[in-house]
């Protein structure tokens, strides 16, 4: 006799080859409905809405990709300012690019989402917004020495659209999460700028970048309920270490091409800009 749980092959019920699948039944039922059926009209309307939503999502992904590419180019332009003499020209070029970016893809995103729930398409635009915040904040630090705030960024994303001789206000919504993640990515660019400043002898820029990276890292340590930010916290800590080593080398060994060479004379005492703290934050 067969053991427990075993059955003879002949005891199994053979599948009915004439049994129709669920999709076949649904197709036949749909074809049997009259053209003026209210049920068929409901499903056709749903199909049109889903198609429109998918098309909108694809357009937003393309716009977000354009924002990401142009924001990276703006950051590259800002890094090209190696001396204070070239700083004004670089900032003017970067500002023109930022304005074109605002009035181009970013404004188009606001128009696309004007009559659609923005939360449905957050994943399509979040990468572009983070990269824009990174570029815009780096420009703000180089131009004014301060980090642009979230309300100030949101204010720049308000546009006036004229259509049929009528004006209306369009707002491209950016979440506070995208703003914070963009600032977290900014620490890497500030680290690169600090190291470049050491090679050119711009000690004030290096010290300022070091303090900004420290402050950002210290502030982010108190945020524990954002899993996306926690993933970037390790990289942020690495950037803090690198920029602190750059400042250490600048203070102890001096600046210039022979920064790491043996036998360099000690660097002169460099005072940090007023208002900056020497606190290294928390580990």
């Amino acid at each position: 006799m067969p053991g427990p749980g075993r059955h003879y092959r002949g005891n199994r019920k053979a599948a009915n080859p004439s049994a129709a699948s669920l999709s076949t039944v649904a197709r036949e039922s749909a074809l049997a409905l009259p053209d003026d059926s209210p049920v068929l009209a409901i499903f056709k309307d749903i199909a049109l809405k889903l198609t429109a939503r998918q098309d909108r999502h694809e357009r937003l992904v393309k716009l977000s990709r354009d924002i990401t590419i142009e924001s990276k180019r703006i950051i590259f332009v800002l890094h090209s300012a190696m001396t204070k003499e070239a700083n004004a020209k670089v900032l003017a070029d970067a500002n023109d690019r930022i304005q074109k970016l605002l009035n181009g893809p970013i404004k188009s995103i606001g128009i696309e989402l004007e009559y659609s729930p923005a939360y449905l398409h957050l994943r399509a635009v979040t990468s572009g917004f983070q990269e824009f915040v990174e570029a815009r904040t780096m420009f703000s630090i180089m131009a004014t020495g301060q980090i642009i705030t979230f309300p100030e960024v949101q204010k720049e994303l308000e546009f006036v659209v004229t259509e049929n001789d009528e004006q209306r206000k369009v707002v491209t919504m950016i979440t506070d999460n995208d703003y914070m993640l963009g600032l977290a990515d900014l620490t890497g660019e500030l680290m690169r700028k600090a190291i470049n400043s050491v090679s050119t002898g711009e000690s004030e820029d290096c010290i300022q970048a070091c303090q900004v990276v420290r402050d950002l890292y210290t502030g982010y340590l108190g945020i524990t309920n954002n899993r996306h930010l926690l993933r970037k916290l390790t990289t942020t800590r690495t950037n803090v270490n690198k920029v602190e080593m750059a400042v250490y080398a600048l203070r102890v060994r001096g600046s210039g091409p022979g920064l790491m060479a043996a036998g360099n004379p000690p660097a002169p005492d460099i005072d940090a800009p007023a208002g900056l703290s020497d606190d290294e934050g928390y580990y």
Side-chain angles (χ1 to χ4, degrees), residues 5 9 18 25 29 41 66 71 74-75 102 125 146 154 164 170 180 187 206 213 254:
R9 186 180 299 272
S18 62
V25 174
S29 301
D66 294 340
S71 298
I74 293 173
I75 293 174
L102 287 170
V125 298
Q146 297 180 350
Q154 189 61 68
N164 298 329
V170 175
M180 294 170 60
T187 58
C206 181
V213 173

Side-chain angles (χ1 to χ4, degrees), residues 210-211 214-215 218 240 244 276-283:
C210 177
Q211 189 64 37
R214 281 176 171 179
D215 292 341
T218 304
V240 173
E244 285 179 346
L276 296 184
S277 170
D278 288 333
D279 181 20
E280 296 187 4
Y282 300 94
Y283 289 84

Side-chain angles (χ1 to χ4, degrees), residues 40-57:
L40 188 60
I42 292 175
F43 277 94
K44 286 183 177 180
D45 182 61
I46 294 175
L48 291 176
K49 290 181 179 179
L50 291 176
T51 302
R53 176 181 170 182
Q54 182 64 27
D55 293 343
R56 185 183 303 110
H57 182 85

Side-chain angles (χ1 to χ4, degrees), residues 130 169 214 220:
Q130 291 179 32
K169 183 178 180 181
R214 281 176 171 179
Y220 282 156

Side-chain angles (χ1 to χ4, degrees), residues 76-152:
F76 178 78
V77 170
L78 293 173
H79 275 302
S80 64
M82 304 300 293
T83 61
K84 291 184 177 180
E85 291 74 14
N87 197 45
K89 182 179 179 181
V90 168
L91 289 177
D93 185 15
N95 184 56
D96 292 340
R97 288 174 172 265
I98 290 174
Q99 295 305 318
K100 291 180 181 179
L101 191 60
L102 287 170
N103 295 315
I106 295 180
K107 182 179 179 180
S108 299
I109 289 178
I111 296 175
E112 284 284 353
L113 298 177
E114 186 176 7
Y115 302 108
S116 176
Y119 66 88
L120 293 177
H121 303 281
L122 285 179
R123 297 184 64 180
V125 298
T126 180
S127 59
F129 282 159
Q130 291 179 32
E131 200 70 32
F132 169 75
V133 169
E134 183 179 356
R136 181 62 183 87
T137 309
M138 186 173 180
F139 172 82
S140 176
I141 291 176
M142 293 182 61
T144 64
Q146 297 180 350
I147 294 178
I148 186 171
T149 62
F150 176 69
E152 291 173 344

Side-chain angles (χ1 to χ4, degrees), residues 2 11 35 45 50 68 76 83 89 104-105 151 190 193 205 215 219 230 250:
N11 292 339
D35 294 338
D45 182 61
L50 291 176
T68 301
F76 178 78
T83 61
K89 182 179 179 181
L190 292 177
K193 180 172 176 56
D205 293 343
D215 292 341
L230 291 177
L250 181 65

